[in-house]
Amino acid sequence: VAHLAFGTAGTRYATLSFWVKAPAGTYCVSFRNSAYNRTYLAEYTVSSADTWGKHIITIPIDTSGTWLTTNGMGLDIQWALGTGSSFQGAAGSWAGANYHGTSNQYNLFSSTSNNFFLTGVQFEAGSTATAFEHLNYVDQLAKCQRYCWVSTYVSQAFIANGTSWNSDSVGGVIHLPVPMRADPSITFSSGNDFESTMVFSNTDTLSGGMSRPYSSAPPFSEFGWRGINTGAFTTGQGVILRYKDGQTGGKITAEAEL
């Protein structure tokens, strides 16, 4: 939520839209910072019991308080199902307190027959609720892989080309499916999970371990690999890095988290 600039001067808005099916009554949504000392309460009404209905709430961006823009919690949005008096406040303005709802909040726990269903949640900049953004699997996966990529083990599957640096060391470059957010940290499972091979020729388990010999440069779409073998190759020979048959725990992890 860094782009919303919570805690800084200026007039800005954000809009929450969602669908709810629940017993008829007044319900609350709270917006809080990570310290839980800044809260905005908004009420919405379920008019038709146990019927899906869309609700839209627009809030002003808070100009006070401390709001994280790190990998910690930037904004807590909570749908109240019941609120004790110690956590009740007024709706419609920012307060320097930890509130969950107003005194009008419906008590969903008044009956075991009550149900609360929530879907189609979208929070966005501005004062207008746009249509729910459906991302296909390919686009969503690519966005996730900017931060973390984990290889998939397939017995003797090709991973990358390489070269024998000397009799007991091989290396090369592994290409990532998408450029990563930053230079990733690389973790290899045991070297025994991998092997280097020449087609129809020598094959050697990288029992001496796998490592990353150097850092990557932008756009961080590849990284180097190095494996230590037992001296099966001659300097300059071309090799293939692959998973070793039966080593199902073999994987490579690239992480570029915030």
Side-chain angles (χ1 to χ4, degrees), residues 234-257:
T234 301
T235 301
Q237 287 181 318
V239 299
I240 294 173
L241 174 67
R242 69 183 186 187
Y243 293 109
K244 188 176 180 180
D245 183 35
Q247 299 297 107
T248 57
K251 67 177 181 180
I252 305 168
T253 303
E255 295 182 279
E257 300 286 355

Side-chain angles (χ1 to χ4, degrees), residues 2-80:
H3 65 292
L4 297 176
F6 277 88
T8 62
T11 302
R12 298 173 305 281
Y13 298 91
T15 298
L16 176 72
S17 55
F18 56 95
W19 289 77
V20 159
K21 183 168 73 169
T26 299
Y27 293 81
C28 298
V29 177
S30 63
F31 303 81
R32 297 179 293 170
N33 63 355
S34 61
Y36 295 133
N37 56 19
R38 297 295 298 173
T39 303
Y40 186 96
L41 294 178
E43 294 182 338
Y44 64 97
T45 301
V46 175
S47 300
S48 300
D50 303 316
T51 302
W52 284 109
K54 185 176 183 179
H55 303 274
I56 299 172
I57 295 172
T58 297
I59 67 169
I61 300 297
D62 192 11
T63 57
S64 300
T66 301
W67 298 83
L68 298 184
T69 57
T70 62
N71 60 351
M73 183 177 69
L75 173 67
D76 179 287
I77 302 176
Q78 175 180 276
W79 283 258

Side-chain angles (χ1 to χ4, degrees), residues 147-196:
Y147 299 89
C148 183
W149 169 79
V150 181
S151 66
T152 301
Y153 170 85
V154 177
S155 178
Q156 296 188 316
F158 163 82
I159 302 172
N161 290 319
T163 303
S164 177
W165 294 357
N166 50 52
S167 62
D168 57 5
S169 180
V170 293
V173 173
I174 294 175
H175 296 274
L176 293 160
V178 299
M180 301 198 74
R181 183 194 66 84
D183 189 15
S185 62
I186 306 298
T187 303
F188 296 92
S189 58
S190 169
N192 290 319
D193 297 332
F194 304 91
E195 59 188 10
S196 55

Side-chain angles (χ1 to χ4, degrees), residues 120-140:
V121 176
Q122 183 160 284
F123 186 65
E124 55 195 310
S127 56
T128 302
T130 63
F132 186 80
E133 183 180 7
H134 293 272
L135 294 177
N136 63 47
Y137 175 80
V138 173
D139 291 339
Q140 195 75 283

Side-chain angles (χ1 to χ4, degrees), residues 197-229:
T197 182
M198 294 176 62
V199 179
F200 306 117
S201 186
N202 296 346
T203 296
D204 200 359
T205 300
L206 301 178
S207 55
M210 292 282 293
S211 64
R212 179 193 188 188
Y214 48 81
S215 299
S216 301
F220 309 120
S221 57
E222 59 189 23
F223 62 91
W225 64 273
R226 181 186 183 187
I228 306 300
N229 55 26

